[in-house]
Amino acid sequence: MAKERRRAVLELLQRPGNARCADCGAPDPDWASYTLGVFICLSCSGIHRNIPQVSKVKSVRLDAWEEAQVEFMASHGNDVARDTYESKVPPFYYRPTFSDCQLLREQWIRAKYERQEFTHPDKQEPYSAGYREGFLWKRGRDNGQFLSRKFVLTEREGSLKYFNRNDAKEPKAIMKIEHLNATFQPAKIGHPHGLQVTYLKDNSTRNIFVYHEDGKEIVDWFNALRAARFHYLQVAFPGASDADLVPKLSRNYLKEGYMEKTGPKQTEGFRKRWFTMDDRRLMYFKDPLDAFARGEVFIGSRESGYTVLDGLPPSTQGHHWPHGITIVTPERRFLLACETETEQRAWVEAFRKVVDRPMLPQEYAVEAHFKHKP
């Protein structure tokens, strides 16, 4: 009987919607919440274990199943749960995947099942109201210390501001929603709730690094920023559908890591720098947590004269790392070197994805304003 019940649960995985984790979309879920009626992956099952008052989990293949539990799973399943617990997810709300950080996946699961934010829209006020203020720990630009700073997000003004003192009349910085991006960077920032916010200042990228001890708070900030971007883009592109706008709300970097680079004359030695590929901007920093890039390179499309080559010109000297990459732009060549072949392949793949993509009309404008920096 026990084997038959387990086989019956396994057969439920073949039903539409059950072949992927209900929470992060990972393929071949091996676990189930027998109180919520969903099939989930091992990683999400660990999060479900932390909310035992809502969700109780079992291994589909290893645990014993009672008849009533099998019947409950059969009458529910991922599609039914989605219709219930995700019925009112705002279009701007970030739905994490299995490649996202633990924090985003945990808060998505808690928002769905524990707080039931997407069945009761009144609970969405922290990120839907169009205005949010509060304190975040912000990394100091010069000394690297995290200090508590007041942040104010206002959709009406189209900006995110922060203040160095609680009683300050004027903000230390005003970040326009139009040019703002936010991406979770726990490893880089050294905190599981670490968020990197970037904005354009004089057409150069500026980074700030923040966190909040409370996971819900920082994810609410993240979704409030996405909501502000969504409403800004709805006005800027009145004919665009939600499906067109949602991918533009925030973006993760295509690739980050250390490479060596040389200057424009290609006669000075190579220096190790931290590189970030953000859409078509390749930025390099002395340190991963620098506020400003040392330089930025625009990478256009093949049709516009941009190519990526394996290796370096034969006469190149001064690089310590053996695996070279040459980026050819209409103005000059950029010579880079990676420590390992694996890293070189990953960078070349990231660059080629960008080069192979045709440029959008607005990207030509960015290219025209772009100053290639040494």
Side-chain angles (χ1 to χ4, degrees):
M1 283 295 287
K3 277 186 180 176
E4 285 174 19
R5 287 197 292 269
R6 195 176 299 139
R7 192 179 305 121
V9 176
L10 279 166
E11 284 173 4
L12 294 176
L13 288 171
Q14 308 308 312
R15 286 191 183 176
N18 291 348
R20 288 186 170 271
C21 173
D23 297 324
C24 75
D28 307 318
D30 259 350
W31 290 77
S33 166
Y34 61 89
T35 52
L36 295 170
V38 292
F39 292 94
I40 52 180
C41 68
L42 173 63
S43 182
C44 288
S45 76
I47 299 169
H48 278 253
R49 284 181 197 280
N50 290 332
I51 45 171
Q53 69 280 17
V54 175
S55 182
K56 292 192 166 30
V57 299
K58 280 190 173 189
S59 166
V60 170
R61 298 174 192 281
L62 302 175
D63 288 330
W65 285 80
E66 295 167 19
E67 191 64 42
Q69 293 168 347
V70 177
E71 287 173 8
F72 184 79
M73 295 303 298
S75 63
H76 289 75
N78 292 3
D79 284 350
V80 171
R82 197 167 290 121
D83 289 344
T84 304
Y85 294 105
E86 298 179 27
S87 61
K88 295 183 174 68
V89 181
F92 59 78
Y93 195 97
Y94 187 79
R95 295 168 177 261
T97 69
F98 52 89
S99 60
D100 280 304
C101 64
Q102 170 87 2
L103 172 71
L104 276 170
R105 289 182 293 112
E106 179 188 353
Q107 289 305 317
W108 167 240
I109 287 167
R110 286 184 180 275
K112 275 205 287 185
Y113 307 120
E114 184 182 40
R115 299 192 292 266
Q116 297 196 0
E117 289 176 19
F118 312 126
T119 49
H120 301 95
D122 54 308
K123 295 185 178 181
Q124 298 170 13
E125 199 263 347
Y127 44 82
S128 294
Y131 180 88
R132 184 177 173 88
E133 68 172 72
F135 289 87
L136 297 172
W137 292 98
K138 179 192 167 291
R139 187 180 190 272
R141 191 176 91 188
D142 301 319
N143 60 12
Q145 280 185 307
F146 280 89
L147 297 169
S148 180
R149 293 287 180 253
K150 182 182 176 184
F151 281 77
V152 176
L153 170 67
T154 164
E155 282 187 16
R156 192 169 48 80
E157 295 176 17
S159 67
L160 173 68
K161 306 172 188 176
Y162 77 87
F163 298 80
N164 264 0
R165 294 193 321 277
N166 294 356
D167 59 351
K169 297 279 189 290
E170 295 299 316
K172 175 69 175 166
I174 300 174
M175 299 160 251
K176 286 287 174 199
I177 295 298
E178 178 185 358
H179 300 301
L180 191 128
N181 184 44
T183 176
F184 279 98
Q185 294 274 22
K188 189 202 277 191
I189 294 170
H191 192 284
H193 304 165
L195 185 70
Q196 179 172 349
V197 178
T198 62
Y199 62 101
L200 287 183
K201 188 175 180 181
D202 306 324
N203 204 39
S204 289
T205 305
R206 166 88 159 89
N207 297 320
I208 62 168
F209 303 94
V210 296
Y211 71 85
H212 195 287
E213 287 98 340
D214 186 301
K216 179 185 184 299
E217 278 287 310
I218 196 70
V219 173
D220 283 350
W221 269 105
F222 176 63
N223 281 303
L225 291 172
R226 283 175 59 89
R229 292 261 312 147
F230 183 63
H231 297 135
Y232 161 77
L233 289 168
Q234 281 182 314
V235 174
F237 303 100
S241 67
D242 289 358
D244 291 330
L245 299 181
V246 166
K248 297 179 171 66
L249 302 186
S250 63
R251 59 192 182 274
N252 295 327
Y253 300 132
L254 300 177
K255 173 105 180 88
E256 286 196 290
Y258 283 108
M259 289 191 284
E260 291 183 331
K261 69 167 287 292
T262 186
K265 296 192 179 70
Q266 297 165 7
T267 51
E268 57 264 57
F270 279 69
R271 292 201 174 113
K272 181 178 163 185
R273 294 286 181 256
W274 178 265
F275 281 81
T276 297
M277 187 77 221
D278 182 11
D279 200 30
R280 290 197 183 274
R281 286 175 185 259
L282 176 65
M283 299 170 279
Y284 53 92
F285 306 83
K286 194 168 183 183
D287 182 273
L289 295 174
D290 282 348
F292 294 98
R294 288 294 179 100
E296 302 190 37
V297 181
F298 182 86
I299 299 187
S301 65
R302 199 177 301 284
E303 299 85 45
S304 302
Y306 295 80
T307 50
V308 182
L309 306 172
D310 280 323
L312 299 169
S315 58
T316 310
Q317 295 179 331
H319 53 101
H320 305 101
W321 287 350
H323 304 282
I325 301 171
T326 302
I327 298 176
V328 181
T329 77
E331 283 83 33
R332 58 170 277 205
R333 289 169 179 250
F334 292 86
L335 308 185
L336 309 169
C338 301
E339 189 172 16
T340 67
E341 191 180 347
T342 306
E343 269 292 279
Q344 186 234 30
R345 278 203 300 266
W347 274 110
V348 167
E349 186 184 340
F351 291 144
R352 285 193 175 143
K353 270 185 191 163
V354 175
V355 167
D356 289 344
R357 198 174 77 221
M359 275 166 63
L360 301 169
Q362 58 266 36
E363 290 175 331
Y364 285 101
V366 175
E367 182 189 38
H369 288 118
F370 221 93
K371 296 178 174 62
H372 291 301
K373 298 171 188 174

